[in-house]
Amino acid sequence: MGLFTLAEARAELARLRPALDEILVVRADMVELSAALIPGGEPSPLGGLPERKAAEARLNELMTEVQQTGAELKGIAPLLIDFPGELDGVPVLLCWLEGEAELAWYHRTGLGFAGRRPLP
């Protein structure tokens, strides 16, 4: 996979929004179902072990969908996605974090999340 321009990364993020929204729902369902499966856990109206396994399979499908675009899925709790790109000839990762309205941050490839800066 190649590098994303800022415009391409923003367009891909917009295209991925339905899958990202579903990841958030499935992630919450998995937490609830997992808690219900712990001995003494409160039963969930979502179901039991079969539903937990189905949610896990769906989450894996959604994560694969994101990664097949060339984006890097860095975390799911919180949901964190990096798009490889360049700014002024410097390799960077265009960085989106769950809850952010748009793709507005980046960090140099070796710095990670702690090195995030607003896009110029």
Side-chain angles (χ1 to χ4, degrees), residues 74-93:
K74 296 293 178 93
I76 64 163
L79 190 54
L80 177 62
I81 300 173
D82 286 341
F83 297 88
E86 281 186 357
L87 286 178
D88 300 323
V90 177
V92 298
L93 294 169

PDB file of all heavy atoms in Angstrom, residues 74-93:
ATOM      1  N   LYS A  74      -4.296   1.076  14.995  1.00  0.00           N
ATOM      2  CA  LYS A  74      -3.361   1.058  16.116  1.00  0.00           C
ATOM      3  C   LYS A  74      -4.007   0.646  17.427  1.00  0.00           C
ATOM      4  O   LYS A  74      -3.314   0.254  18.348  1.00  0.00           O
ATOM      5  CB  LYS A  74      -2.711   2.435  16.273  1.00  0.00           C
ATOM      6  CG  LYS A  74      -1.861   2.844  15.087  1.00  0.00           C
ATOM      7  CD  LYS A  74      -0.638   1.968  14.970  1.00  0.00           C
ATOM      8  CE  LYS A  74       0.227   2.291  13.802  1.00  0.00           C
ATOM      9  NZ  LYS A  74       1.299   3.192  14.033  1.00  0.00           N
ATOM     10  N   GLY A  75      -5.311   0.762  17.516  1.00  0.00           N
ATOM     11  CA  GLY A  75      -5.998   0.362  18.740  1.00  0.00           C
ATOM     12  C   GLY A  75      -7.494   0.388  18.534  1.00  0.00           C
ATOM     13  O   GLY A  75      -7.987   1.084  17.654  1.00  0.00           O
ATOM     14  N   ILE A  76      -8.197  -0.394  19.363  1.00  0.00           N
ATOM     15  CA  ILE A  76      -9.661  -0.375  19.255  1.00  0.00           C
ATOM     16  C   ILE A  76     -10.335   0.158  20.506  1.00  0.00           C
ATOM     17  O   ILE A  76     -11.530   0.332  20.528  1.00  0.00           O
ATOM     18  CB  ILE A  76     -10.239  -1.755  18.872  1.00  0.00           C
ATOM     19  CG1 ILE A  76      -9.977  -2.788  19.940  1.00  0.00           C
ATOM     20  CG2 ILE A  76      -9.745  -2.206  17.526  1.00  0.00           C
ATOM     21  CD1 ILE A  76     -10.851  -4.011  19.812  1.00  0.00           C
ATOM     22  N   ALA A  77      -9.577   0.414  21.569  1.00  0.00           N
ATOM     23  CA  ALA A  77     -10.163   0.979  22.788  1.00  0.00           C
ATOM     24  C   ALA A  77      -9.150   1.935  23.423  1.00  0.00           C
ATOM     25  O   ALA A  77      -8.379   1.505  24.267  1.00  0.00           O
ATOM     26  CB  ALA A  77     -10.571  -0.117  23.761  1.00  0.00           C
ATOM     27  N   PRO A  78      -9.094   3.156  22.999  1.00  0.00           N
ATOM     28  CA  PRO A  78      -9.953   3.800  22.007  1.00  0.00           C
ATOM     29  C   PRO A  78      -9.530   3.436  20.584  1.00  0.00           C
ATOM     30  O   PRO A  78      -8.400   3.014  20.343  1.00  0.00           O
ATOM     31  CB  PRO A  78      -9.751   5.297  22.271  1.00  0.00           C
ATOM     32  CG  PRO A  78      -8.344   5.381  22.780  1.00  0.00           C
ATOM     33  CD  PRO A  78      -8.129   4.118  23.581  1.00  0.00           C
ATOM     34  N   LEU A  79     -10.438   3.641  19.681  1.00  0.00           N
ATOM     35  CA  LEU A  79     -10.200   3.389  18.262  1.00  0.00           C
ATOM     36  C   LEU A  79      -9.200   4.423  17.744  1.00  0.00           C
ATOM     37  O   LEU A  79      -9.412   5.631  17.886  1.00  0.00           O
ATOM     38  CB  LEU A  79     -11.518   3.472  17.505  1.00  0.00           C
ATOM     39  CG  LEU A  79     -11.551   3.014  16.060  1.00  0.00           C
ATOM     40  CD1 LEU A  79     -11.031   1.598  15.902  1.00  0.00           C
ATOM     41  CD2 LEU A  79     -12.969   3.102  15.521  1.00  0.00           C
ATOM     42  N   LEU A  80      -8.093   3.949  17.198  1.00  0.00           N
ATOM     43  CA  LEU A  80      -7.015   4.813  16.735  1.00  0.00           C
ATOM     44  C   LEU A  80      -6.528   4.310  15.381  1.00  0.00           C
ATOM     45  O   LEU A  80      -6.177   3.139  15.250  1.00  0.00           O
ATOM     46  CB  LEU A  80      -5.873   4.805  17.753  1.00  0.00           C
ATOM     47  CG  LEU A  80      -4.625   5.605  17.418  1.00  0.00           C
ATOM     48  CD1 LEU A  80      -4.943   7.091  17.281  1.00  0.00           C
ATOM     49  CD2 LEU A  80      -3.569   5.394  18.495  1.00  0.00           C
ATOM     50  N   ILE A  81      -6.526   5.203  14.393  1.00  0.00           N
ATOM     51  CA  ILE A  81      -6.144   4.834  13.036  1.00  0.00           C
ATOM     52  C   ILE A  81      -5.115   5.820  12.515  1.00  0.00           C
ATOM     53  O   ILE A  81      -5.278   7.041  12.651  1.00  0.00           O
ATOM     54  CB  ILE A  81      -7.365   4.813  12.101  1.00  0.00           C
ATOM     55  CG1 ILE A  81      -8.381   3.801  12.616  1.00  0.00           C
ATOM     56  CG2 ILE A  81      -6.955   4.483  10.670  1.00  0.00           C
ATOM     57  CD1 ILE A  81      -9.682   3.818  11.891  1.00  0.00           C
ATOM     58  N   ASP A  82      -4.054   5.284  11.908  1.00  0.00           N
ATOM     59  CA  ASP A  82      -3.027   6.096  11.260  1.00  0.00           C
ATOM     60  C   ASP A  82      -3.032   5.820   9.765  1.00  0.00           C
ATOM     61  O   ASP A  82      -3.175   4.668   9.339  1.00  0.00           O
ATOM     62  CB  ASP A  82      -1.637   5.764  11.808  1.00  0.00           C
ATOM     63  CG  ASP A  82      -1.387   6.307  13.205  1.00  0.00           C
ATOM     64  OD1 ASP A  82      -2.118   7.221  13.627  1.00  0.00           O
ATOM     65  OD2 ASP A  82      -0.446   5.830  13.860  1.00  0.00           O
ATOM     66  N   PHE A  83      -2.855   6.887   8.998  1.00  0.00           N
ATOM     67  CA  PHE A  83      -2.734   6.799   7.552  1.00  0.00           C
ATOM     68  C   PHE A  83      -1.313   7.218   7.183  1.00  0.00           C
ATOM     69  O   PHE A  83      -0.947   8.378   7.417  1.00  0.00           O
ATOM     70  CB  PHE A  83      -3.741   7.728   6.868  1.00  0.00           C
ATOM     71  CG  PHE A  83      -5.184   7.385   7.129  1.00  0.00           C
ATOM     72  CD1 PHE A  83      -5.847   7.897   8.232  1.00  0.00           C
ATOM     73  CD2 PHE A  83      -5.877   6.550   6.267  1.00  0.00           C
ATOM     74  CE1 PHE A  83      -7.173   7.591   8.477  1.00  0.00           C
ATOM     75  CE2 PHE A  83      -7.204   6.234   6.507  1.00  0.00           C
ATOM     76  CZ  PHE A  83      -7.858   6.756   7.614  1.00  0.00           C
ATOM     77  N   PRO A  84      -0.489   6.319   6.641  1.00  0.00           N
ATOM     78  CA  PRO A  84       0.865   6.702   6.258  1.00  0.00           C
ATOM     79  C   PRO A  84       0.835   7.798   5.201  1.00  0.00           C
ATOM     80  O   PRO A  84       0.059   7.736   4.244  1.00  0.00           O
ATOM     81  CB  PRO A  84       1.453   5.409   5.682  1.00  0.00           C
ATOM     82  CG  PRO A  84       0.588   4.306   6.192  1.00  0.00           C
ATOM     83  CD  PRO A  84      -0.780   4.907   6.378  1.00  0.00           C
ATOM     84  N   GLY A  85       1.659   8.801   5.383  1.00  0.00           N
ATOM     85  CA  GLY A  85       1.726   9.904   4.438  1.00  0.00           C
ATOM     86  C   GLY A  85       3.033  10.657   4.549  1.00  0.00           C
ATOM     87  O   GLY A  85       3.986  10.180   5.174  1.00  0.00           O
ATOM     88  N   GLU A  86       3.060  11.827   3.956  1.00  0.00           N
ATOM     89  CA  GLU A  86       4.224  12.709   4.015  1.00  0.00           C
ATOM     90  C   GLU A  86       3.750  14.139   4.195  1.00  0.00           C
ATOM     91  O   GLU A  86       2.718  14.527   3.650  1.00  0.00           O
ATOM     92  CB  GLU A  86       5.036  12.642   2.715  1.00  0.00           C
ATOM     93  CG  GLU A  86       5.921  11.465   2.577  1.00  0.00           C
ATOM     94  CD  GLU A  86       6.812  11.547   1.333  1.00  0.00           C
ATOM     95  OE1 GLU A  86       6.699  12.501   0.543  1.00  0.00           O
ATOM     96  OE2 GLU A  86       7.615  10.632   1.172  1.00  0.00           O
ATOM     97  N   LEU A  87       4.528  14.887   4.959  1.00  0.00           N
ATOM     98  CA  LEU A  87       4.321  16.328   5.069  1.00  0.00           C
ATOM     99  C   LEU A  87       5.669  16.987   4.827  1.00  0.00           C
ATOM    100  O   LEU A  87       6.641  16.677   5.529  1.00  0.00           O
ATOM    101  CB  LEU A  87       3.800  16.724   6.450  1.00  0.00           C
ATOM    102  CG  LEU A  87       2.358  16.417   6.775  1.00  0.00           C
ATOM    103  CD1 LEU A  87       2.038  16.839   8.210  1.00  0.00           C
ATOM    104  CD2 LEU A  87       1.403  17.100   5.816  1.00  0.00           C
ATOM    105  N   ASP A  88       5.727  17.821   3.811  1.00  0.00           N
ATOM    106  CA  ASP A  88       6.981  18.500   3.460  1.00  0.00           C
ATOM    107  C   ASP A  88       8.125  17.516   3.267  1.00  0.00           C
ATOM    108  O   ASP A  88       9.251  17.757   3.702  1.00  0.00           O
ATOM    109  CB  ASP A  88       7.341  19.554   4.512  1.00  0.00           C
ATOM    110  CG  ASP A  88       6.271  20.622   4.647  1.00  0.00           C
ATOM    111  OD1 ASP A  88       5.682  20.997   3.606  1.00  0.00           O
ATOM    112  OD2 ASP A  88       6.016  21.071   5.778  1.00  0.00           O
ATOM    113  N   GLY A  89       7.824  16.371   2.657  1.00  0.00           N
ATOM    114  CA  GLY A  89       8.848  15.370   2.366  1.00  0.00           C
ATOM    115  C   GLY A  89       9.249  14.507   3.551  1.00  0.00           C
ATOM    116  O   GLY A  89      10.137  13.668   3.429  1.00  0.00           O
ATOM    117  N   VAL A  90       8.614  14.686   4.688  1.00  0.00           N
ATOM    118  CA  VAL A  90       8.934  13.911   5.899  1.00  0.00           C
ATOM    119  C   VAL A  90       7.863  12.839   6.089  1.00  0.00           C
ATOM    120  O   VAL A  90       6.667  13.155   6.073  1.00  0.00           O
ATOM    121  CB  VAL A  90       8.983  14.841   7.141  1.00  0.00           C
ATOM    122  CG1 VAL A  90       9.230  14.035   8.405  1.00  0.00           C
ATOM    123  CG2 VAL A  90      10.035  15.916   6.963  1.00  0.00           C
ATOM    124  N   PRO A  91       8.272  11.575   6.278  1.00  0.00           N
ATOM    125  CA  PRO A  91       7.281  10.524   6.527  1.00  0.00           C
ATOM    126  C   PRO A  91       6.534  10.795   7.830  1.00  0.00           C
ATOM    127  O   PRO A  91       7.142  11.064   8.870  1.00  0.00           O
ATOM    128  CB  PRO A  91       8.110   9.249   6.650  1.00  0.00           C
ATOM    129  CG  PRO A  91       9.429   9.561   6.033  1.00  0.00           C
ATOM    130  CD  PRO A  91       9.637  11.037   6.229  1.00  0.00           C
ATOM    131  N   VAL A  92       5.205  10.727   7.761  1.00  0.00           N
ATOM    132  CA  VAL A  92       4.355  10.950   8.930  1.00  0.00           C
ATOM    133  C   VAL A  92       3.204   9.956   8.909  1.00  0.00           C
ATOM    134  O   VAL A  92       2.973   9.277   7.907  1.00  0.00           O
ATOM    135  CB  VAL A  92       3.774  12.393   8.974  1.00  0.00           C
ATOM    136  CG1 VAL A  92       4.878  13.427   9.067  1.00  0.00           C
ATOM    137  CG2 VAL A  92       2.858  12.661   7.790  1.00  0.00           C
ATOM    138  N   LEU A  93       2.511   9.908  10.013  1.00  0.00           N
ATOM    139  CA  LEU A  93       1.269   9.165  10.092  1.00  0.00           C
ATOM    140  C   LEU A  93       0.168  10.178  10.392  1.00  0.00           C
ATOM    141  O   LEU A  93       0.239  10.909  11.383  1.00  0.00           O
ATOM    142  CB  LEU A  93       1.348   8.096  11.187  1.00  0.00           C
ATOM    143  CG  LEU A  93       2.367   6.989  10.903  1.00  0.00           C
ATOM    144  CD1 LEU A  93       2.577   6.122  12.126  1.00  0.00           C
ATOM    145  CD2 LEU A  93       1.931   6.152   9.721  1.00  0.00           C
TER     146      LEU A  93
END
